[in-house]
Amino acid sequence: MLKTILVNELEVGMYVDSIAQQNGNLQIKSRGRVKTYAAITAMKKQGIVSLIIDLSKQLPIEEPTPQVEESPEQDISFADEIGKAAKLHEKGKVLQRRMMQAVDKGLPIDIAIPQEFTKNLVSSIDRNPNALLCMTKIREKDSYLLEHSLNVAILLANFANYLDMPEDEVQELSLSGFLHDIGKIKVPDDILHKPGRLTDQEMVVMRDHVYFGVRVLEDMGIPERMIETISQHHERLDGYGYPDGARGDEIGKFGRMIAIVDTYDAITADRCYKAGMPSQKALKILHEDAPIKYDQHLVEQFIKCIGVYPVGSLVKLSSEKIAVVIKQNENHPLKPRVKVFYSVRSGHYLPPAEIDLLHSQYRVDKAVMASEFKLDFNRYFNESIAI
């Protein structure tokens, strides 16, 4: 569907078909999507007054994908990266919402947009993986569908880095994670958000989200190997997964990895029908289900990658204070680097203070959940830590 608009109304994400009116001699040599605000500024300077855009090819993105300055060979501190990571995480949720809206309306999605976004995710992880890993623990009520795919993208990229996989495979896995649940927008809300156990018939409908997603991804023109990876995120080695009941060697390495990461994030998230479990419980479940359901070697590597006390998780120290884990200490999994923020004894928040337990008299007493102490950790994190 074609529509004429003024150049001042042009937005990033719109698909330009041709020039409608101009005062200069600039010619658009080919149709295409506007990807930067710089391109819009250039058109204005060239005297373009109005343009014809193709609404059928428009992805409703109001803001460009955040461009993050890359420092591939320089480690950045947690404090320097966490603010950028928080903004990037929020942008990811916005992009997920708009992609879902586009799919629901039958509009095409330009693969370049989520591809560029996940490239920025991987760049942040390269600079300091702990910042985005910490963000995977900051969850908002009723935002599971948006946060889950974003978190899987982050966790998969970090897992692939841990396994020393090539950069192109890290990028591919991150994008696969970001897109893996896009078909869920086609599942009726009364099933998708049902607060109780699904009936057998409802489960059949829910499982169809994989087929819906594959069709969307095929229309986007993403590579066949990525479609295969995404189609396998609910397959299990024993053949009792879905949608195809693939078993053993029929499931590729990437499919095995996304199944592990998808399950981990789903178990630790608050859902409409259950509260999230601690990371340690999720890892225990994965370990117990290997090698029957999950690849045992990959599960063991994922547990080492995540750590006993994963970045972003909360722990109670022997000092009777609550802290968030911000970094693992290699070879000392029980002594991570933490940021203390709450006193159990006095019952109030504290100015955040970083402690390396490897060089401290204090130790981790146990892992805890914010709900145990009625903490609004999300708010405190955003106001006092992610700044």
Side-chain angles (χ1 to χ4, degrees):
M1 181 172 64
L2 300 180
K3 178 183 179 181
T4 301
I5 65 168
L6 295 174
V7 70
N8 289 333
E9 298 172 342
L10 189 63
E11 292 284 350
V12 170
M14 288 183 173
Y15 191 96
V16 176
D17 181 84
S18 57
I19 295 174
Q21 182 183 353
Q22 65 179 25
N23 295 324
N25 298 317
L26 179 68
Q27 296 293 320
I28 294 181
K29 297 180 180 180
S30 61
R31 302 182 181 97
R33 195 176 314 283
V34 178
K35 296 182 179 180
T36 66
Y37 283 120
I40 298 175
T41 301
M43 292 182 194
K44 292 178 180 178
K45 289 181 178 179
Q46 292 292 336
I48 294 178
V49 178
S50 59
L51 299 140
I52 298 174
I53 62 169
D54 191 338
L55 295 177
S56 68
K57 296 180 180 179
Q58 175 182 341
L59 177 61
I61 300 295
E62 297 173 3
E63 302 176 32
T65 304
Q67 299 296 312
V68 182
E69 183 179 349
E70 298 187 16
S71 303
E73 298 179 356
Q74 180 180 357
D75 292 335
I76 302 298
S77 70
F78 178 88
D80 287 338
E81 186 65 25
I82 188 61
K84 299 174 186 176
K87 292 177 181 178
L88 199 56
H89 197 265
E90 187 60 35
K91 294 292 184 182
K93 289 189 289 184
V94 171
L95 180 53
Q96 277 286 336
R97 180 181 294 111
R98 289 173 180 165
M99 287 196 305
M100 293 284 187
Q101 291 171 344
V103 171
D104 192 40
K105 295 176 181 178
L107 298 175
I109 299 175
D110 184 354
I111 185 61
I113 296 175
Q115 194 171 42
E116 181 65 21
F117 174 78
T118 52
K119 181 180 179 181
N120 286 333
L121 282 187
V122 173
S123 293
S124 177
I125 290 170
D126 287 341
R127 291 191 299 272
N128 187 310
N130 299 308
L132 272 175
L133 287 174
C134 198
M135 293 308 306
T136 65
K137 298 296 184 181
I138 307 302
R139 302 182 187 271
E140 296 179 5
K141 186 178 180 181
D142 301 325
S143 292
Y144 172 76
L145 189 58
L146 305 177
E147 294 174 340
H148 174 61
S149 292
L150 175 56
N151 290 347
V152 170
I154 294 168
L155 291 165
L156 265 178
N158 189 64
F159 188 22
N161 268 345
Y162 180 81
L163 296 177
D164 289 326
M165 296 174 69
E167 181 69 16
D168 61 329
E169 294 185 355
V170 176
Q171 297 282 354
E172 180 180 328
L173 279 165
S174 184
L175 182 56
S176 297
F178 195 65
L179 299 173
H180 84 283
D181 262 351
I182 200 166
K184 279 190 175 177
I185 195 63
K186 294 296 186 180
V187 176
D189 284 347
D190 59 339
I191 294 178
L192 190 62
H193 303 298
K194 184 177 179 179
R197 185 181 180 86
L198 298 180
T199 66
D200 290 345
Q201 185 174 1
E202 289 170 336
M203 183 57 73
V204 170
V205 176
M206 175 64 84
R207 290 179 172 181
D208 279 345
H209 81 270
V210 181
Y211 285 128
F212 294 144
V214 166
R215 285 202 289 269
V216 170
L217 298 171
E218 288 174 341
D219 290 341
M220 289 172 65
I222 73 170
E224 185 176 337
R225 186 168 74 168
M226 274 187 60
I227 293 178
E228 180 181 273
T229 297
I230 292 168
S231 71
Q232 293 179 344
H233 72 273
H234 282 296
E235 299 289 4
R236 300 294 180 260
L237 297 181
D238 58 6
Y240 286 96
Y242 65 88
D244 298 325
R247 64 171 59 238
D249 292 341
E250 294 173 347
I251 305 172
K253 179 180 179 180
F254 289 8
R256 297 176 184 216
M257 290 175 66
I258 197 172
I260 292 168
V261 173
D262 174 64
T263 301
Y264 171 79
D265 188 72
I267 292 175
T268 55
D270 286 331
R271 310 286 290 275
C272 55
Y273 54 88
K274 74 168 186 69
M277 295 183 185
S279 298
Q280 292 78 10
K281 178 64 174 177
L283 295 175
K284 182 180 179 181
I285 290 173
L286 286 169
H287 189 265
E288 291 174 345
D289 284 343
I292 304 302
K293 295 182 179 180
Y294 305 103
D295 185 295
Q296 184 165 0
H297 173 71
L298 288 174
V299 166
E300 290 172 352
Q301 292 300 307
F302 182 68
I303 292 172
K304 292 178 181 178
C305 171
I306 291 296
V308 177
Y309 301 113
V311 171
S313 62
L314 302 184
V315 292
K316 177 174 170 288
L317 304 181
S318 56
S319 61
E320 292 296 307
K321 294 177 181 178
I322 305 299
V324 56
V325 178
I326 61 172
K327 185 179 181 181
Q328 303 289 335
N329 275 318
E330 192 174 357
N331 300 323
H332 296 279
L334 300 180
K335 298 180 180 181
R337 189 182 296 252
V338 302
K339 186 164 284 193
V340 173
F341 69 92
Y342 184 81
S343 171
V344 176
R345 186 177 291 111
S346 57
H348 65 74
Y349 289 98
L350 304 168
E354 191 170 313
I355 299 176
D356 190 341
L357 295 180
L358 186 60
H359 306 293
S360 172
Q361 60 179 313
Y362 302 117
R363 56 175 173 75
V364 173
D365 184 20
K366 63 178 179 177
V368 297
M369 302 290 285
S371 57
E372 296 178 42
F373 301 92
K374 298 181 179 180
L375 301 178
D376 187 354
F377 179 65
N378 285 15
R379 178 179 176 182
Y380 187 75
F381 181 89
N382 290 327
E383 293 179 353
S384 303
I385 299 177
I387 55 176

